[in-house]
Amino acid sequence: MAIDRNLVVLIGGVGGAKLALGLNQVVRPERLTFVVNTGDDFWRLGLKICPDLDTLMYTLSGLVDPAAGWGVAHDSDTVLRSLQENYGFEPWFRLGDKDLATHLMRTQMLRSGNTLTEVTACLTDRLGIRARLLPMSDAEVPTIVDTAEKGELGFQEYFVKHRWQPTVRSIRHQNCEGAPVSTAVQMALAAADIVLFAPSNPWLSLAPILAVPGLRATLKDLTLPIVAMTPIIAGDAVKGPTAKIMTELGIDVSAKSVADYFGALINGFVDDIRNQPFEDDRLRLARMDTLMTDLPAKVSLARAILAWIEGWAS
Amino acid sequence: MAIDRNLVVLIGGVGGAKLALGLNQVVRPERLTFVVNTGDDFWRLGLKICPDLDTLMYTLSGLVDPAAGWGVAHDSDTVLRSLQENYGFEPWFRLGDKDLATHLMRTQMLRSGNTLTEVTACLTDRLGIRARLLPMSDAEVPTIVDTAEKGELGFQEYFVKHRWQPTVRSIRHQNCEGAPVSTAVQMALAAADIVLFAPSNPWLSLAPILAVPGLRATLKDLTLPIVAMTPIIAGDAVKGPTAKIMTELGIDVSAKSVADYFGALINGFVDDIRNQPFEDDRLRLARMDTLMTDLPAKVSLARAILAWIEGWAS
């Protein structure tokens, strides 16, 4: 039985996409909205690349490379190899051939004057995705990572080129003061019954969304379940640099630190059964198996989270 | 022994590229300049496609698909198929994956503010081409074909989408009044010892070059060998629509018609040994085997043409 409440999920990265796939099977698609981090977006080869939107689109459409959790399955790299071999182009950012089709379509539509929100609606529609994917903003808000070894790096330089090895000193969101929340995001939040932060990296994937002016204030005004989840399981991230960054920023690597990060923005928190329990009077706390190793685990976690939240009312 | 005279070749299309390959082996590359038709250029998928420049670049660099005479050898079409399958993009214009690398590089450099002349110099340099390729103009001068069945068509619509089947009523060169000859072309012509029209389709591939304001006048002022060649052999084109278009425009399908087309612009003409001889008091006429079935034939034709022209002085 599909859940028939308006769910808005703030999301980014590969970890978030796993839960998204579960939610997509549990919630009626016309009730499901993803507000997606675009801080990772960048221009490469004259093309607009939106890694988090792409990961979510490929995941929900079934195109995704299941081993990597991003990119298109069975993709080739003929274009990139030709760029390198014939023109000396440095291929540090992998652009698969099938993936390039997406970037070409998106870029062309953007250059024709459409907003990223409009373009994303068109692309997801063509891919047969019924849930709504909303970029957090139509303006460009690139995430800049200040590192000890390399100074300031664009997000993809930090994450892909340098494989998130440099030590993070701070993270900022360039141009965020000039990036209003899109009307579509505002309307989705105004109609929401539940808001969920996906188990994405809070500092890299969710902070950019919260940096969009007006978004924090909008969330604070909502009187409904707003729930975050731990990306930390048994003292480490499932994948990626969450734990490493927490350490570098001087934050204790724990679910409690993540809950504290969201602070008064949330009123519920899903912790993992493997973690040390903690208490927080401000929060409703649940403990679940959040590892999501396969599709049934994703679906069952999504169902469990929503069932728990439904129970708050009673 | 490489020929050490400044040769400027006005050129377009696949037929022209065959002779270019021969000339490239016969003339010292720093003496060899190609002024290339850009009337076929168009935008597709947000990318600038320059078919005649591409054909010449691929031919001279050895990348070309030898069977087709254009495109890159052993190319795949993963991007185009993904565009079609995932996004419903209509794939009437073939864009190979390896070919796309060229369009991506070019478009990015153009969008960065470089002229097409500058971009082409960079691309040819990367491809190891030592002869100079100059677009006829840095402005866009799209060739528009007026047809009986479909009305006005952009060149690639006419040529590729409709496989040059519609009946041509007339051909025009949009925006040509606003497209000055580039400085590089002017300088190349000013330094030329010999000017050669490649055996390209005069109406589709060479007329656009001659339509660039100032080019005809510049040619008329030159007092040096200016030689055209027949693309018609034994009453037909070797490949492509030259004979068909001549018929549709009410022109007798013969080498003489081609010589007449160039009129006072040329003072020499290379006819094919298979054609009926004709006389023209204004012209030096040579008869050669112009079929160019393989590389030795291309080289030997290039050598024969230049040897014949060298003989004019004595």
Side-chain angles (χ1 to χ4, degrees):
Chain A
M1 196 191 61
I3 287 164
D4 202 12
R5 311 266 308 265
N6 287 335
L7 177 62
V8 175
V9 186
L10 283 62
I11 193 166
V14 171
K18 286 189 193 177
L19 183 68
L21 193 58
L23 292 167
N24 199 47
Q25 303 224 353
V26 167
V27 182
R28 287 167 60 93
E30 62 273 27
R31 297 289 223 161
L32 184 55
T33 301
F34 296 98
V35 176
V36 185
N37 172 39
T38 59
D40 299 10
D41 295 6
F42 72 128
W43 288 84
R44 183 92 177 135
L45 272 171
L47 301 177
K48 170 86 162 194
I49 323 278
C50 303
D52 284 357
L53 281 167
D54 290 341
T55 296
L56 202 52
M57 290 200 305
Y58 295 153
T59 299
L60 296 181
S61 65
L63 287 175
V64 75
D65 178 345
W70 52 273
V72 180
H74 312 297
D75 208 350
S76 48
D77 61 350
T78 306
V79 176
L80 203 61
R81 271 191 295 113
S82 297
L83 282 162
Q84 182 179 20
E85 289 168 14
N86 295 336
Y87 299 113
F89 183 78
E90 203 197 333
W92 60 265
F93 191 85
R94 177 185 138 170
L95 287 168
D97 297 326
K98 295 180 183 181
D99 192 29
L100 270 168
T102 302
H103 310 317
L104 283 163
M105 284 299 285
R106 172 187 292 128
T107 305
Q108 193 186 21
M109 287 191 269
L110 286 173
R111 291 207 191 271
S112 301
N114 298 289
T115 65
L116 186 58
T117 300
E118 291 163 342
V119 171
T120 304
C122 179
L123 294 177
T124 51
D125 183 60
R126 298 272 177 94
L127 291 173
I129 296 169
R130 294 178 57 211
R132 238 178 347 154
L133 271 62
L134 301 178
M136 67 191 202
S137 175
D138 284 321
E140 301 196 346
V141 192
T143 298
I144 309 288
V145 182
D146 185 28
T147 67
E149 298 83 356
K150 304 274 178 187
E152 286 205 335
L153 296 172
F155 180 82
Q156 298 300 342
E157 285 184 283
Y158 161 74
F159 198 82
V160 178
K161 193 171 187 179
H162 296 293
R163 298 159 187 267
W164 44 274
Q165 290 314 300
T167 309
V168 174
R169 289 195 295 215
S170 66
I171 298 163
R172 68 183 178 86
H173 312 287
Q174 197 170 14
N175 184 42
C176 72
E177 60 289 345
V181 188
S182 73
T183 310
V185 170
Q186 280 178 314
M187 287 176 66
L189 286 172
D193 297 313
I194 300 168
V195 173
L196 191 60
F197 287 95
S200 311
N201 183 320
W203 291 271
L204 288 186
S205 297
L206 299 175
I209 305 178
L210 294 174
V212 173
L215 210 132
R216 272 179 185 275
T218 303
L219 286 177
K220 276 184 184 153
D221 286 346
L222 298 177
T223 52
L224 44 84
I226 304 184
V227 174
M229 297 178 57
T230 182
I232 298 294
I233 299 181
D236 203 354
V238 178
K239 193 178 170 183
T242 307
K244 179 172 179 286
I245 288 175
M246 291 175 83
T247 305
E248 290 163 1
L249 295 176
I251 300 164
D252 184 46
V253 181
S254 68
K256 181 170 190 313
S257 300
V258 175
D260 289 346
Y261 170 81
F262 291 105
L265 280 179
I266 58 172
N267 46 33
F269 188 81
V270 177
D271 199 358
D272 190 88
I273 45 169
R274 295 162 190 84
N275 293 345
Q276 276 296 96
F278 69 96
E279 296 203 358
D280 190 323
D281 290 345
R282 300 171 300 115
L283 292 178
R284 294 177 192 250
L285 282 160
R287 292 169 59 75
M288 301 181 187
D289 182 350
T290 67
L291 197 51
M292 296 187 282
T293 43
D294 55 15
L295 180 60
K298 292 167 194 171
V299 171
S300 111
L301 179 61
R303 198 178 298 280
I305 293 168
L306 294 173
W308 172 60
I309 297 170
E310 295 270 316
W312 295 11
S314 58
Chain B
M1 195 192 62
I3 287 163
D4 202 12
R5 310 264 312 262
N6 288 335
L7 176 63
V8 175
V9 186
L10 282 63
I11 192 165
V14 170
K18 286 189 194 176
L19 183 68
L21 192 59
L23 291 167
N24 199 47
Q25 302 225 352
V26 167
V27 181
R28 286 168 61 93
E30 62 272 27
R31 298 288 224 162
L32 183 55
T33 302
F34 296 99
V35 175
V36 185
N37 172 39
T38 58
D40 298 11
D41 295 7
F42 73 128
W43 288 84
R44 183 92 175 135
L45 272 169
L47 301 177
K48 170 85 163 196
I49 322 277
C50 304
D52 284 358
L53 280 167
D54 290 341
T55 295
L56 203 51
M57 289 200 305
Y58 296 153
T59 299
L60 296 180
S61 65
L63 288 175
V64 76
D65 178 345
W70 53 272
V72 180
H74 312 297
D75 208 351
S76 47
D77 62 352
T78 305
V79 175
L80 203 60
R81 271 191 295 115
S82 297
L83 282 162
Q84 181 178 22
E85 289 167 13
N86 294 334
Y87 299 113
F89 182 80
E90 202 197 334
W92 60 265
F93 191 84
R94 175 183 140 170
L95 288 168
D97 297 326
K98 296 179 182 181
D99 192 30
L100 270 167
T102 303
H103 309 318
L104 283 162
M105 284 300 286
R106 173 188 291 128
T107 305
Q108 192 186 21
M109 288 191 268
L110 286 173
R111 292 208 191 270
S112 301
N114 298 290
T115 64
L116 186 58
T117 300
E118 292 164 341
V119 171
T120 304
C122 179
L123 294 177
T124 51
D125 183 60
R126 300 272 176 93
L127 290 173
I129 296 169
R130 295 177 59 208
R132 241 181 340 160
L133 271 63
L134 301 178
M136 67 192 202
S137 175
D138 285 320
E140 300 195 347
V141 192
T143 298
I144 309 288
V145 182
D146 185 28
T147 67
E149 299 83 356
K150 304 274 176 185
E152 286 206 334
L153 296 171
F155 180 81
Q156 299 300 341
E157 284 184 283
Y158 161 73
F159 197 81
V160 178
K161 193 171 188 178
H162 296 292
R163 297 160 188 266
W164 45 274
Q165 291 313 301
T167 309
V168 175
R169 288 194 295 215
S170 65
I171 298 163
R172 67 183 177 88
H173 311 288
Q174 197 170 11
N175 184 43
C176 74
E177 60 289 345
V181 188
S182 73
T183 309
V185 170
Q186 280 177 315
M187 287 175 65
L189 286 172
D193 297 312
I194 300 168
V195 173
L196 191 61
F197 287 94
S200 311
N201 183 320
W203 291 270
L204 289 186
S205 297
L206 299 175
I209 305 178
L210 293 174
V212 173
L215 209 132
R216 272 179 185 274
T218 302
L219 286 177
K220 276 184 183 155
D221 286 345
L222 298 176
T223 53
L224 44 84
I226 304 184
V227 174
M229 296 177 58
T230 183
I232 298 294
I233 299 180
D236 203 354
V238 178
K239 193 178 170 183
T242 307
K244 178 172 179 287
I245 288 176
M246 291 174 82
T247 305
E248 289 163 1
L249 295 176
I251 300 164
D252 183 46
V253 181
S254 68
K256 183 174 188 312
S257 300
V258 174
D260 289 345
Y261 170 80
F262 291 104
L265 280 179
I266 58 172
N267 46 36
F269 189 81
V270 176
D271 199 358
D272 191 87
I273 46 169
R274 295 164 191 82
N275 293 344
Q276 276 297 95
F278 69 95
E279 296 202 358
D280 190 323
D281 292 344
R282 299 169 303 117
L283 292 177
R284 292 177 192 251
L285 281 161
R287 292 170 58 75
M288 302 180 187
D289 181 350
T290 67
L291 198 51
M292 297 187 283
T293 43
D294 54 16
L295 181 59
K298 292 167 193 172
V299 171
S300 111
L301 178 61
R303 199 178 296 280
I305 293 168
L306 294 173
W308 171 60
I309 296 170
E310 294 271 316
W312 294 12
S314 56

